[in-house]
Amino acid sequence: MWKERVRGKVEELFAKAGVNFGGNADWDIQVKDDRLFEKIFSNGSLGLGEAYMNGWFECGRFDETVRRLLDKGIEKAAKTWGNFFLYLESVILNRQSKRRAFVIGERHYDLGNDLFELMLDKEMVYSCAYWKNANTLDQAQKNKMDLICRKLDLQPGMKVLDIGCGWGGLARHAAKEYGAEVFGISVSKEQLALAEERSKDLNIKYEFKDYRDLKDNFDSILSVGQMEHVGYKNYRTYMEIVYRSLKKKGLFLLHTIGSNSSNKVTDRWIEKYIFPNSHLPSAAQITKASESLFVLEDLHNFGPDYDKTLMAWYNNFEKGWDQIQKKYGERFRRMWEFYLLSCAGAFRSRKIQLWQFVFSKGDREEIYKAVR
C-alpha cells in the first residue's frame, strides 16, 4: 500500500510537467526497477540521479525531461531533509575554506586528462563556449577566448593573471594572439601537467596554488569557471584579493555560472558526485561582494550558449566512450551522462545563467566600450 501511494505521488508530480512513466514521448521515463519511485520520493534530485546511475530507468531525451521538470518548478515540491542538513552544514562551516581548496581538483579535475580530451574542444576549454557566428565547438570556444581577451583590451606585454587556468587554453590564446605574459594558477595537478606540456615556448607560467596565496600585481585578471568553487562565505575575500592584485587602470573579467536566487547550497547530487564544495552565486551576491571595491563596467548573459556547449560535450562523450570505457566503467558513464544532460536541461529552462562581469577600479580615463 505504501509503495503504491509513493508511486502515485511521484507520477502525479511528474505529470504536472508533462513527464510520464512508461509514456511514448522522448522525455518520458521508462522504469526498469520499481525502487525508483521511493528513491525519488525520499531523496529528490539526489535520488533521481542515483537511480539513473543504478540503471533503474531509461529516457530518450533526459535533458528535455529536466527542462520540463524545472519549467514547472517540480524541484521545489521535492525538497527533502537532506537539503536541510546540507544547508546547516553550509551555514555552520566554510565548505570552501583554504584547507578544502584542493578537494575539487582531486575529485573532479584530476579524474583523467583522457576523459576531458575526449569530451572537450581541441584546446580543452572546460567552460561555456560562445556560439555567435560559430558552427563547431572548436570555433565557439575560440570565439569565447577571443571575446574575453577583447573585453580585457589585452595588449602586447601585459601581465595577465588567469585564476583557475584549467588546461591552459585561454592562457595560450592570450599569449599567442595578444602577446600577453600570463600567470595561471590551478588546484588540479593533472590540469597543470598537461597545460605546461602544451604551453612550451610560450610566455606562460603555471603554479599549483589557491587564490588566497596570490602576492603579485597584474595589468589584467580573468577568472573563468572559478567563482563556482569559491563559496558565498568567501566572495568578499575573493574580490578583495583580486582588487589587491590588480594594477590601477586594469580590468577584471569574471566568467561564472549563476543562480537566479541567492542560495547557500547547491544541488545535492551535483555536490556529492560532480563538484564537491561548490556553490552557484547570484548576481546580487557577486555585486554585493564587489561593493566599494570595483566599478561594474559590463554584464553579459549568454546562458543559453551553455545548453549548446553541454550538448556538444555530451555528443563527444558518447561518440568516444568506447575508447575509455574499460578505465571508467558503466556506472561512471551513467553518472557523467546524468551530469551533462541535467545541466543542459537546467540552462535550457533558464533556471541558471552564464555571466561575464567586467570590473574596473574606477580610475580608467577612457569610457569602457562593451564588446559582444
Side-chain angles (χ1 to χ4, degrees), residues 20 51 96 108 162 182 189 247 249 317 324 366 372:
N20 298 302
Q96 298 84 14
H108 186 83
D162 184 352
V182 187
K189 292 180 179 179
K247 293 180 181 179
K249 300 183 181 181
F317 177 74
I324 60 173
E366 63 271 32
R372 296 290 184 268

Side-chain angles (χ1 to χ4, degrees), residues 65 90 102 177 183 212 268:
T65 306
S90 299
F102 297 90
E177 303 298 329
F183 177 56
R212 280 160 283 215
R268 289 174 64 209

Side-chain angles (χ1 to χ4, degrees), residues 59-74:
C59 184
R61 285 291 306 277
F62 189 66
D63 51 313
E64 266 300 291
T65 306
V66 171
R67 194 271 298 175
R68 288 167 179 271
L69 293 173
L70 292 177
D71 278 353
K72 295 298 182 180
I74 301 303

Side-chain angles (χ1 to χ4, degrees), residues 254-256 258-259 281-283 286 299-301 353-357:
L254 174 62
H255 171 118
T256 184
S259 171
S282 68
I286 290 173
L299 174 56
H300 183 188
N301 182 355
Q353 313 301 327
L354 189 287
W355 296 313
Q356 283 188 351
F357 296 79

Side-chain angles (χ1 to χ4, degrees), residues 56-112:
W56 290 359
F57 73 91
E58 298 292 347
C59 184
R61 285 291 306 277
F62 189 66
D63 51 313
E64 266 300 291
T65 306
V66 171
R67 194 271 298 175
R68 288 167 179 271
L69 293 173
L70 292 177
D71 278 353
K72 295 298 182 180
I74 301 303
E75 80 284 0
K76 296 175 183 176
K79 296 293 184 183
T80 65
W81 280 106
N83 297 77
F84 177 69
F85 291 123
L86 184 59
Y87 174 84
L88 282 182
E89 182 185 349
S90 299
V91 171
I92 295 169
L93 303 175
N94 184 352
R95 297 170 59 249
Q96 298 84 14
S97 66
K98 189 174 179 181
R99 181 175 62 83
R100 300 182 181 206
F102 297 90
V103 172
I104 184 62
E106 294 167 358
R107 287 183 50 189
H108 186 83
Y109 297 108
D110 289 348
L111 279 170

Side-chain angles (χ1 to χ4, degrees), residues 35-305:
R35 287 177 290 178
L36 166 68
F37 297 100
E38 191 167 355
K39 191 77 168 172
I40 295 173
F41 187 80
S42 301
N43 292 289
S45 65
L46 175 61
L48 183 66
E50 290 181 337
Y52 188 83
M53 291 166 65
N54 293 342
W56 290 359
F57 73 91
E58 298 292 347
C59 184
R61 285 291 306 277
F62 189 66
D63 51 313
E64 266 300 291
T65 306
V66 171
R67 194 271 298 175
R68 288 167 179 271
L69 293 173
L70 292 177
D71 278 353
K72 295 298 182 180
I74 301 303
E75 80 284 0
K76 296 175 183 176
K79 296 293 184 183
T80 65
W81 280 106
N83 297 77
F84 177 69
F85 291 123
L86 184 59
Y87 174 84
L88 282 182
E89 182 185 349
S90 299
V91 171
I92 295 169
L93 303 175
N94 184 352
R95 297 170 59 249
Q96 298 84 14
S97 66
K98 189 174 179 181
R99 181 175 62 83
R100 300 182 181 206
F102 297 90
V103 172
I104 184 62
E106 294 167 358
R107 287 183 50 189
H108 186 83
Y109 297 108
D110 289 348
L111 279 170
N113 287 337
D114 56 349
L115 164 66
F116 293 105
E117 281 183 294
L118 177 146
M119 184 179 83
L120 305 176
D121 64 298
K122 64 182 180 181
E123 286 295 337
M124 294 181 70
V125 180
Y126 194 24
S127 53
C128 182
Y130 190 49
W131 289 89
K132 182 179 179 182
N133 301 322
N135 295 314
T136 67
L137 180 61
D138 284 342
Q139 185 60 54
Q141 290 293 16
K142 185 177 179 181
N143 286 358
K144 190 269 298 295
M145 292 188 288
D146 207 62
L147 179 71
I148 289 172
C149 292
R150 289 186 292 121
K151 283 184 176 183
L152 288 171
D153 192 24
L154 292 191
Q155 302 296 326
M158 277 189 170
K159 189 176 179 182
V160 179
L161 170 64
D162 184 352
I163 306 176
C165 61
W167 291 274
L170 182 52
R172 289 189 293 276
H173 188 83
K176 288 191 290 188
E177 303 298 329
Y178 289 83
E181 175 187 353
V182 187
F183 177 56
I185 65 170
S186 172
V187 294
S188 166
K189 292 180 179 179
E190 291 294 317
Q191 284 186 331
L192 290 180
L194 189 56
E196 288 175 347
E197 180 184 321
R198 290 188 170 199
S199 304
K200 292 176 181 177
D201 303 322
L202 292 174
N203 197 5
I204 303 173
K205 180 181 178 183
Y206 298 107
E207 279 194 24
F208 183 63
K209 177 180 287 189
D210 178 60
Y211 68 89
R212 280 160 283 215
D213 291 325
L214 288 166
K215 303 296 182 186
D216 211 346
N217 295 107
F218 302 88
D219 298 303
S220 297
I221 298 176
L222 56 95
S223 172
V224 179
Q226 167 70 29
M227 201 67 170
E228 298 92 329
H229 306 305
V230 171
Y232 76 96
K233 288 191 174 184
N234 306 302
Y235 290 156
R236 181 64 180 185
T237 297
Y238 190 75
M239 289 294 190
E240 288 173 346
I241 289 171
V242 171
Y243 183 86
R244 184 189 71 205
S245 303
L246 185 64
K247 293 180 181 179
K248 286 186 176 180
K249 300 183 181 181
L251 293 172
F252 165 45
L253 184 140
L254 174 62
H255 171 118
T256 184
I257 300 171
S259 171
N260 291 337
S261 56
S262 298
N263 301 309
K264 292 182 170 63
V265 295
T266 190
D267 176 81
R268 289 174 64 209
W269 187 87
I270 289 288
E271 161 70 25
K272 183 175 180 179
Y273 290 100
I274 306 296
F275 295 115
N277 303 325
S278 61
H279 176 255
L280 297 185
S282 68
Q285 287 170 323
I286 290 173
T287 55
K288 179 67 176 178
S290 72
E291 280 187 11
S292 76
L293 295 174
F294 290 109
V295 171
L296 177 58
E297 300 285 1
D298 185 39
L299 174 56
H300 183 188
N301 182 355
F302 52 99
D305 283 30

